[in-house]
């Protein structure tokens, strides 16, 4: 098991460069499934952080009792109030239609414990998996995994983002003895997270904490970027939004690599007559994308938290962290991205 931090240059490869020839959607489309009458802020933080990082479109599928409140926060998010089925709305057909439009989904933020909403969220997870769409599971969707791990087990294109109590519940649900998990954690950095990810069949797990520990059951990353000292509600939703953003960008990256491979397949040759390679040795391995996306999201969220705390101190709220997410992005990646920015911009 290796424990390390990926290079920023590698993470930056996932970020689509902005060019004059781009169209709406080229920087990614995401769908956020969550939001109930009680919890309207959580899915807003997910969708808004994704848009602020640079995705083009964010759909937010919520309970109709949450829709008006969320729409009042911003006109930038496309709010769709059909997470709860009704006599006029079957829900499932509309969820399926949304999934055909997006590059990644997040499920769970603000979902609540309502059984009907949980069933709709479970359907969204299963449909996304069936269509090989990247999935980020947070908050109340982790209860779905606890009750039925098979819903996500073995799906390597998924990321789970539990806090410590949620992590413990997942371990118990997977039959991992808490004492042995803690013993493993004492022996190796990230050992407990690796055990859970391995038990889930290669799903990537982010265990949020003083340091964020990330594992897919084989490799382990530890993000110890300095963060703020406030632990206000909503920070995990900002992280979820950053994660689904990088997962969407990872999907776009894979599509670009596949398109390049397809264009060179069939014997295309360069001007020198040599065979054109269908892939580059510098290309990111698709199986590494969930780990890289998770680390990038943790890095940006922690730095945004640091920036917000530096300005607001004890009064820091998640709205302040959200306001810093684009500045965090610039601080970490702007210099690296200048190399691919068109000269006239």
């Amino acid at each position: 098991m290796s424990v390390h931090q990926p290079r920023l240059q590698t993470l930056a490869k996932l970020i689509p460069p902005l060019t004059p020839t781009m169209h709406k959607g080229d920087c990614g489309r995401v769908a956020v499934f969550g939001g109930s009458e009680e919890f309207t802020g959580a899915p807003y933080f997910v969708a808004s952080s994704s848009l602020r990082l640079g995705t083009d479109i964010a759909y937010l599928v919520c309970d109709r009792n949450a829709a008006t409140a969320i729409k009042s926060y911003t006109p930038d998010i496309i709010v769709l109030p059909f997470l709860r089925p009704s006599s006029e709305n079957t829900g499932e057909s509309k969820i399926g239609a949304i999934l055909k439009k997006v590059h990644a989904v997040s499920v769970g933020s603000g979902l609540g414990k309502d059984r009907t909403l949980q069933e709709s969220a479970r359907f969204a997870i299963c449909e996304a998996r069936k269509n090989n769409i990247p999935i980020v599971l947070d908050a109340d969707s982790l209860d779905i995994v606890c009750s039925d791990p098979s819903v996500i087990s073995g799906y390597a294109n998924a990321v789970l983002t539990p806090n410590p109590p949620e992590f413990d519940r997942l371990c118990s649900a997977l039959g991992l003895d808490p004492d042995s998990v803690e013993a493993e954690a004492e022996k190796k950095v990230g050992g407990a997270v690796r055990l859970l990810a391995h038990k889930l069949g290669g799903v990537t797990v982010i265990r949020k904490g003083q340091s964020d520990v990330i594992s897919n059951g084989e490799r382990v990353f530890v993000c110890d970027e300095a963060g703020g000292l406030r632990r206000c509600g909503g920070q995990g939703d900002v992280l979820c939004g950053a994660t689904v953003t990088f997962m969407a960008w990872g999907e776009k990256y894979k599509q670009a690599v596949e398109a390049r491979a397809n264009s060179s397949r069939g014997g295309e040759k360069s001007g020198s007559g040599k065979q054109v390679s269908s892939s580059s040795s510098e290309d990111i391995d698709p199986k590494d994308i969930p780990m890289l996306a998770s680390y990038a999201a943790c890095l940006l969220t922690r730095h945004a938290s640091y920036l917000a705390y530096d300005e607001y101190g004890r009064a820091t709220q998640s709205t302040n962290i959200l306001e810093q997410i684009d500045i965090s992005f610039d601080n970490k990646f702007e210099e690296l991205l200048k190399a691919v920015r068109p000269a006239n911009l």
Side-chain angles (χ1 to χ4, degrees), residues 90-263:
T90 60
E92 292 186 357
S93 61
K94 292 188 175 182
I95 288 173
I98 287 297
L99 291 176
K100 292 178 181 179
K101 299 179 180 180
V102 299
H103 301 105
V105 303
S106 79
V107 184
S109 297
L111 184 65
K113 307 298 183 183
D114 183 280
R115 182 171 296 180
T116 302
L117 295 181
Q118 291 255 338
E119 281 301 312
S120 291
R122 189 183 193 281
F123 175 80
I125 295 169
C126 293
E127 285 298 296
R129 179 174 184 172
K130 186 188 303 182
N131 291 282
N132 200 34
I133 299 169
I135 305 171
V136 181
L137 299 184
D138 185 39
D140 297 311
S141 68
L142 299 177
D143 291 340
I144 299 172
V145 179
C146 287
S147 62
D148 181 13
S150 68
V151 75
I152 205 68
S153 182
Y155 187 54
N157 211 12
V159 177
L160 276 59
T161 64
N163 59 28
E166 291 166 342
F167 180 84
D168 291 343
R169 289 197 293 271
L170 285 167
C171 287
S172 296
L174 270 295
L176 294 174
D177 177 61
D179 292 335
S180 66
V181 170
E182 287 304 316
E184 184 70 12
E186 289 295 323
K187 287 190 295 181
K188 300 175 183 177
V189 175
V193 184
R194 185 194 64 81
L195 279 177
L196 178 60
H198 179 74
K199 190 76 171 180
L200 283 168
V203 171
T204 296
V205 177
I206 303 172
R207 186 185 187 275
K208 298 175 287 192
Q210 185 174 354
S211 294
D212 296 327
V213 182
I214 307 158
S215 180
N216 59 2
E218 297 179 0
R219 305 173 69 190
V220 174
F221 292 159
V222 176
C223 183
D224 53 8
E225 175 75 18
L229 298 181
R230 286 282 281 126
R231 296 295 179 265
C232 44
Q235 292 183 76
D237 302 307
V238 175
L239 172 64
C240 184
T243 307
V244 76
T245 299
F246 272 87
M247 289 292 278
W249 287 344
E251 190 68 12
K252 295 288 292 181
Y253 178 88
K254 285 191 291 185
Q255 292 173 3
V257 171
E258 289 169 3
R260 188 175 72 238
N262 290 336
S263 68

Side-chain angles (χ1 to χ4, degrees), residues 59-64 67 71 78-83 98:
Y59 300 97
L60 199 164
V61 184
C62 63
D63 185 3
R64 61 182 176 181
K71 287 183 178 182
I78 301 173
V79 181
L80 305 170
F82 51 71
L83 191 57
I98 287 297

